[in-house]
Amino acid sequence: MEPDSTSDSREPQNAASHNSAHPMRFEGKTGEFFAIWIVNVLLSIVTVGIYSAWAKVRTTRYFYSNTYLNDSAFEYTADPVKILKGRLLAAGLFLAIQLAAYLAPVVSDIAFLLLMLAFPALLVLALRFRMHYTRWRGIRFVFAPDFTGAYVLFIPLIAYAAVVALLSLAAPSEITEENSGDPMLLWIFYGVMTAAGIVALLFPWWQNRYYRFIGNRTSFGQQSFTYTGGCGGFYLFYAFAGATVVAGIGGYAGLNYLGSDFLAPSVQKILPFVLIGTAYAAAMAYILTARNNLIYSRIQLGEVSMESRLRFPRMCYLYLTNTIAIVLSLGLAIPWAKIRMAHYRAETFTVYAPSFDDFVGAAATEQQATAEDMSEVFAWDFGL
Amino acid sequence: MKTRSVSGFVFDEGSSQRRRATLRVDQENRLWLEGESEPSGLLSALRVPARVGNTARFFQLPDGRGFETSDNDGLDSLLVAAFGASSTIAHRLENNLGLVAVAGVLLIALVLLAATKGVPWAGDITAKFVPDDVRATLGRSTLEQIDGAWLAESKLSSDDRQRLRALFDELSSQITPSSRLLFRSSERLGANALALPDGTVVLTDDLVAISDNDDQLAAVLLHELAHVEFDHGLRSVLRQAGLSVLILLVTGDVSTSSTLIIMLPTVMLSLQYSREFELEADRFALERMVSTGIDPLAFAQIMSKLEASRSADLETKDGQGDETQQHDDGVEDWDYFSSHPATEDRIRLFEEAAEALKSRSR
């Protein structure tokens, strides 16, 4: 199922012979994290969400500080009070918009538009925050804020949103018997479909640019990361994922056509969910696995290179068993699932470096926590 | 005996190069790195992050160098000397096994309680505050949607319509006078009746056709009017919304492949909600039938007829492998399958009531 280019055990590209392999190590324990997690949940409920900022910091710290590279752990040093302020601001804005929208519905449209326009800036702020509070051996990661670059990066998506918005303005608000034959309606439909098709075709190319944007603006102390590579690899795994979904739909159509005579009605009812749902889940797992491996193979930190060897069958198995366990345990298995996943990710991660002694820290600055948590309230996940 | 030193690694300011080192505290609470001739500062100047599990901690020494140690107990007992408390409340809670166990049980109870009681309660409370124009909009848009997809013009004679409308007005005048009755025909829905959130009741031609008499139709209409009276339409919309929020809260940490498995508890819970509403509507209909002198057996009869017509329907439709039907009706047919034994219970409720009435009048 997997194309080799995304999962092979690649030799580090410019690894001089003096580079040695340093496996990542994760030492988190289910029992220990379960205690932290359950106290987090309970205190968050009891304090009506106030504690969630501390909960987030403690959880992140637990995972960072149990991840070891060359016998030194990573650190997450964000201040919960800052995160809390960010969350309160976001929650306040959200409430204000909801209330205003109740009086004048157009407010929610405007707010949504403004949020779309602010998104590239919020992304930059969130990355800056997260990198700044991540340390290893006392040296911070740095994300150089490049707002212009972020807006240039998002031009294709903003253009797409603008096209759809303009077309929907041109469309009648209701489709009735009278106007359903209007050729204009058909053209609008074609327009939206074409724009969506173009965006879908360009997405792998765009995503490569997105990771290049992040990679090339991130440094560890004073040493910059570099991201190299074209969009071919992205097209390859998205094509595979797309083919999986098409196969699922085809399988359903075929079985439905052939099997209507001998399959029980109840089986036929759940068939589309099982086949297409499974294909969709497999495609998602495949994208996450292949993309993760590809991105890390392209990141370089001076002479240091890295390699992630996640395997698709294993990831499917982990996702599936984690989900079953979480649902059956009414959520209590969440800590176990997270620890398992972290173990597997660390186990399959290797850093190739001649030495870890020569990194130099950059001068530190304080910054607002608002960005990352604005995005949390509005459910946009930023993942590197 | 208290530990007065911890071993770990020391880092020069802004450098990733590390050296093994031992940090010692003397009688005057000054910090010394072993082997050095100058103290690096006072213990009270240390800012050490709170302990999380047994993870290594990194902190700045007063002279600017970094120090990393995994000896958490050692570090905590050093800090006791300077600050009193050795660890945060959170860490102490996390290390209290009894509390963790109690918290686990509490959390399960909380999730179950929220799913079975909390979500319905919150939805029902919210429904009380929803203004009527929301119900009107909801009813109108629902009708528009199903009118386009499932329903067609009724072919009932105007005599039938007049008679049924009079029956409906008589029944609704004592319950929800603003309700209106619509006649539609529908191949997809077959014999059926629907109540919309704004009080509109839709009756299909097939249902009129399979009924033997107007008492049976009155039974169905009373059941639908109960849905209107108890605001079941809006309440189930709100309960569904609450349920999806709860599911999101419980499984928020799962990234993919969750949809399939999460569907099961979601469907089961929403079935439980809808069964609760059906039962409430049945009881109300029964009460009204008794008080207005309609034989409760009429409800049992029409239910058995509906049941028979639906299973006949389903067989023919499934035999043809009707693709669209399977897709769109997914959830409703789940409902149908799982309410199968429940239908018998519902019929029995009315049969028993009819028996009881008869024996009383005897």
Side-chain angles (χ1 to χ4, degrees):
Chain A
M1 280 284 305
E2 300 170 71
D4 283 335
S5 65
T6 55
S7 62
D8 61 355
S9 46
R10 188 190 54 92
E11 286 296 311
Q13 276 160 12
N14 66 347
S17 52
H18 59 281
N19 261 11
S20 50
H22 301 269
M24 203 72 108
R25 204 172 77 236
F26 182 71
E27 295 196 342
K29 291 172 193 69
T30 302
E32 200 176 50
F33 180 57
F34 180 82
I36 292 173
W37 177 82
I38 199 120
V39 169
N40 280 345
V41 172
L42 272 193
L43 286 181
S44 295
I45 293 173
V46 168
T47 59
V48 213
I50 302 286
Y51 188 76
S52 70
W54 278 263
K56 184 201 162 127
V57 170
R58 286 185 82 73
T59 304
T60 315
R61 277 187 58 198
Y62 188 80
F63 280 89
Y64 278 33
S65 298
N66 272 311
T67 307
Y68 288 86
L69 175 62
N70 196 27
D71 287 327
S72 286
F74 287 82
E75 272 185 285
Y76 183 66
T77 60
D79 176 7
V81 177
K82 274 188 197 160
I83 293 182
L84 179 66
K85 279 182 192 158
R87 286 188 176 182
L88 287 178
L89 177 65
L93 268 178
F94 185 75
L95 263 180
I97 292 168
Q98 290 293 310
L99 278 177
Y102 187 75
L103 300 171
V106 73
V107 172
S108 62
D109 292 338
I110 295 172
F112 182 71
L113 201 73
L114 286 179
L115 200 68
M116 291 279 288
L117 285 176
F119 182 73
L122 290 176
L123 175 74
V124 168
L125 291 175
L127 283 166
R128 205 155 87 102
F129 183 92
R130 187 188 298 177
M131 298 296 183
H132 178 76
Y133 291 114
T134 303
R135 297 200 304 192
W136 184 75
R137 293 193 172 176
I139 295 176
R140 290 179 192 283
F141 285 78
V142 181
F143 182 78
D146 175 4
F147 292 99
T148 322
Y151 276 94
V152 170
L153 175 71
F154 277 92
I155 280 176
L157 296 189
I158 293 172
Y160 168 66
V163 166
V164 172
L166 283 177
L167 286 173
S168 64
L169 276 181
S173 58
E174 263 178 285
I175 295 168
T176 56
E177 292 277 330
E178 294 86 61
N179 68 14
S180 63
D182 191 347
M184 181 70 187
L185 207 61
L186 208 61
W187 283 112
I188 290 170
F189 177 73
Y190 285 150
V192 171
M193 292 309 283
T194 313
I198 291 173
V199 163
L201 281 177
L202 288 182
F203 190 72
W205 165 80
W206 181 82
Q207 209 169 41
N208 184 43
R209 280 176 44 110
Y210 171 78
Y211 286 110
R212 172 177 300 150
F213 172 80
I214 297 174
N216 285 342
R217 279 159 191 76
T218 305
S219 18
F220 175 62
Q222 297 183 2
Q223 176 71 59
S224 305
F225 282 91
T226 49
Y227 178 98
T228 44
C231 55
F234 282 82
Y235 273 101
L236 204 60
F237 70 73
Y238 273 109
F240 246 82
T244 310
V245 173
V246 170
I249 295 172
Y252 163 62
L255 263 179
N256 193 52
Y257 178 72
L258 296 171
S260 56
D261 292 334
F262 58 86
L263 287 178
S266 54
V267 174
Q268 285 191 34
K269 298 285 169 203
I270 58 168
L271 205 59
F273 297 110
V274 171
L275 277 178
I276 300 176
T278 308
Y280 176 75
M284 285 305 291
Y286 185 71
I287 289 172
L288 289 179
T289 309
R291 190 171 64 196
N292 184 81
N293 290 346
L294 183 65
I295 290 165
Y296 283 114
S297 74
R298 293 175 161 196
I299 296 176
Q300 191 87 24
L301 180 68
E303 283 182 284
V304 179
S305 63
M306 50 210 92
E307 177 192 35
S308 165
R309 297 174 308 273
L310 298 180
R311 289 190 57 247
F312 174 60
R314 180 78 187 159
M315 286 294 273
C316 282
Y317 170 74
L318 284 175
Y319 279 135
L320 185 71
T321 46
N322 279 353
T323 310
I324 292 174
I326 288 172
V327 170
L328 290 185
S329 67
L330 297 170
L332 281 191
I334 288 173
W336 172 77
K338 290 183 97 168
I339 294 283
R340 248 173 126 211
M341 200 47 115
H343 264 295
Y344 182 59
R345 284 184 177 278
E347 252 166 47
T348 52
F349 202 94
T350 309
V351 175
Y352 298 91
S355 149
F356 290 106
D357 287 346
D358 305 325
F359 293 107
V360 182
T365 49
E366 290 295 299
Q367 46 198 295
Q368 288 289 318
T370 315
E372 191 169 34
D373 290 277
M374 280 286 273
S375 65
E376 259 190 23
V377 165
F378 294 101
W380 272 322
D381 182 43
F382 297 138
L384 178 76
Chain B
M1 195 195 97
K2 269 185 187 166
T3 323
R4 299 294 282 171
S5 70
V6 281
S7 57
F9 297 100
V10 68
F11 300 82
D12 285 338
E13 194 170 0
S15 160
S16 64
Q17 190 172 13
R18 63 175 185 181
R19 285 172 281 121
R20 277 192 189 284
T22 303
L23 187 65
R24 197 176 295 283
V25 178
D26 68 12
Q27 294 302 318
E28 289 143 61
N29 277 343
R30 285 178 304 181
L31 295 160
W32 294 81
L33 280 179
E34 206 163 67
E36 292 186 352
S37 53
E38 292 281 315
S40 74
L42 288 174
L43 176 60
S44 55
L46 274 193
R47 294 292 170 264
V48 179
R51 180 172 176 174
V52 178
N54 218 7
T55 58
R57 279 182 285 178
F58 190 105
F59 52 91
Q60 223 79 43
L61 294 174
D63 61 13
R65 288 182 291 182
F67 193 85
E68 183 187 27
T69 179
S70 301
D71 183 3
N72 279 305
D73 290 337
L75 183 59
D76 279 343
S77 59
L78 278 192
L79 296 172
V80 174
F83 302 104
S86 68
S87 56
T88 60
I89 298 168
H91 183 73
R92 268 177 278 155
L93 290 178
E94 287 156 10
N95 275 275
N96 187 331
L97 276 182
L99 182 105
V100 167
V102 170
V105 174
L106 267 181
L107 193 67
I108 289 196
L110 210 64
V111 170
L112 283 177
L113 197 70
T116 56
K117 296 278 183 297
V119 165
W121 177 80
D124 294 354
I125 290 282
T126 316
K128 291 209 170 77
F129 291 99
V130 173
D132 271 345
D133 50 333
V134 172
R135 287 183 189 81
T137 318
L138 211 60
R140 205 181 328 117
S141 59
T142 313
L143 186 63
E144 267 168 27
Q145 272 179 19
I146 57 176
D147 249 348
W150 294 349
L151 304 176
E153 287 286 305
S154 165
K155 294 180 188 71
L156 285 182
S157 70
S158 60
D159 281 359
D160 278 345
R161 288 184 198 211
Q162 249 168 18
R163 195 186 77 246
L164 290 172
R165 209 158 254 151
L167 173 68
F168 181 80
D169 288 344
E170 191 195 320
L171 295 172
S172 68
S173 65
Q174 298 147 23
I175 307 165
T176 51
S178 59
S179 280
R180 59 173 183 156
L181 180 65
L182 295 179
F183 299 102
R184 293 284 189 273
S185 74
S186 172
E187 248 177 68
R188 295 282 302 281
L189 296 180
N192 220 325
L194 314 164
L196 303 179
D198 61 347
T200 305
V201 173
V202 179
L203 193 62
T204 67
D205 291 359
D206 288 358
L207 184 62
V208 179
I210 65 164
S211 66
D212 300 318
N213 51 50
D214 283 358
D215 274 2
Q216 291 179 0
L217 289 175
V220 172
L221 292 176
L222 279 171
H223 175 92
E224 298 305 322
L225 283 169
H227 282 321
V228 175
E229 163 73 3
F230 295 123
D231 205 10
H232 285 162
L234 185 68
R235 280 165 68 195
S236 66
V237 168
L238 292 170
R239 285 180 177 198
Q240 287 301 326
L243 189 59
S244 33
V245 171
L246 180 73
I247 296 278
L248 199 75
L249 283 179
V250 171
T251 57
D253 293 71
V254 202
S255 38
T256 53
S257 85
S258 42
T259 40
L260 271 177
I261 298 148
I262 286 167
M263 241 183 65
L264 198 66
T266 316
V267 169
M268 273 164 53
L269 277 168
S270 40
L271 281 178
Q272 192 206 320
Y273 298 162
S274 75
R275 269 197 292 269
E276 188 190 320
F277 287 158
E278 292 307 312
L279 193 67
E280 198 174 19
D282 280 358
R283 291 221 175 97
F284 181 84
L286 177 60
E287 211 175 89
R288 287 286 155 155
M289 289 171 85
V290 172
S291 68
T292 50
I294 304 171
D295 186 358
L297 213 52
F299 193 100
Q301 289 160 351
I302 192 81
M303 279 303 289
S304 334
K305 280 172 173 291
L306 274 170
E307 188 68 10
S309 86
R310 276 192 200 160
S311 34
D313 238 27
L314 204 73
E315 264 164 36
T316 54
K317 275 184 184 158
D318 281 334
Q320 292 158 3
D322 183 340
E323 212 175 300
T324 49
Q325 186 203 328
Q326 286 170 19
H327 214 84
D328 292 341
D329 282 359
V331 174
E332 264 173 52
D333 286 337
W334 279 99
D335 187 350
Y336 166 73
F337 282 117
S338 77
S339 71
H340 203 102
T343 309
E344 282 160 27
D345 288 345
R346 292 173 65 185
I347 291 175
R348 198 173 309 126
L349 176 75
F350 284 86
E351 282 174 348
E352 278 165 11
E355 279 298 312
L357 272 181
K358 242 179 252 166
S359 57
R360 210 183 300 159
S361 63
R362 233 173 252 155

